[in-house]
Amino acid sequence: MKILITAGGTSERIDDVRRIVNNSTGQLGVALAKAFRGAEIFYVRGRGAVSPDSSGICEFVVEDATGLERVLRQILDEQNIDVIVHAMAVSDFRVKERIEGKISSEIEEFTLTFVKTPKIIGLFRELAPKAMLVGFK
């Protein structure tokens, strides 16, 4: 059996030093990986999330919603996944235009415009329509 688990949170860059972060720890994903021990596990986690302490897990680390989508497409294109457990807290928004470099601390006020990120759960149905899908909100 092949299991895909997502865990932790994503972050979206504002500039080269600042980001919007979801501080999800990934503990739920670790517990799920332990529960599925013995299966072939593809574990996708946010950069700041904990990693399962287990051998035999194929682990991927992502930063943002775009990177998550890229990794999921790769896995689901290459593998016939039986079960998907989506426990990752994906950022709902990202800045419309990322600022190159570092925002100057001399600026008194500035405005950021946010745009919605794609819903990842729909991607699972598109790329793995036969997989059992469990999503957490």
Side-chain angles (χ1 to χ4, degrees), residues 4 6 10 12 44 64-73 76 84 86-92 94 117-127 133:
L4 170 62
T6 66
T10 60
E12 299 291 334
V44 182
D64 56 19
T66 301
L68 174 62
E69 182 176 348
R70 184 174 44 254
V71 165
L72 292 175
R73 284 185 181 279
L76 295 171
I84 300 167
H86 184 45
M88 180 176 265
V90 181
S91 300
D92 291 321
R94 64 175 163 236
T117 58
K119 287 293 182 192
I120 296 297
I121 200 127
L123 184 67
F124 294 127
R125 276 290 144 243
E126 174 190 332
L127 299 176
L133 175 59

Side-chain angles (χ1 to χ4, degrees), residues 68-126:
L68 174 62
E69 182 176 348
R70 184 174 44 254
V71 165
L72 292 175
R73 284 185 181 279
Q74 175 191 338
I75 294 168
L76 295 171
D77 283 346
E78 296 173 1
Q79 302 294 328
N80 186 22
I81 299 294
D82 299 299
V83 177
I84 300 167
V85 184
H86 184 45
M88 180 176 265
V90 181
S91 300
D92 291 321
F93 297 93
R94 64 175 163 236
V95 291
K96 186 174 183 178
E97 294 180 28
R98 185 174 151 209
I99 299 161
E100 295 298 321
K102 179 184 176 289
I103 300 168
S104 172
S105 60
E106 300 299 316
I107 297 174
E108 292 296 323
E109 183 177 306
F110 69 96
T111 303
L112 294 172
T113 302
F114 294 91
V115 294
K116 196 157 187 53
T117 58
K119 287 293 182 192
I120 296 297
I121 200 127
L123 184 67
F124 294 127
R125 276 290 144 243
E126 174 190 332

Side-chain angles (χ1 to χ4, degrees), residues 7-9 24-27 30 43 45-51 59 61 88:
S24 176
T25 65
Q27 291 292 343
V30 169
Y43 191 83
R45 67 176 178 89
R47 187 172 66 153
V50 294
S51 179
E59 185 174 26
V61 179
M88 180 176 265

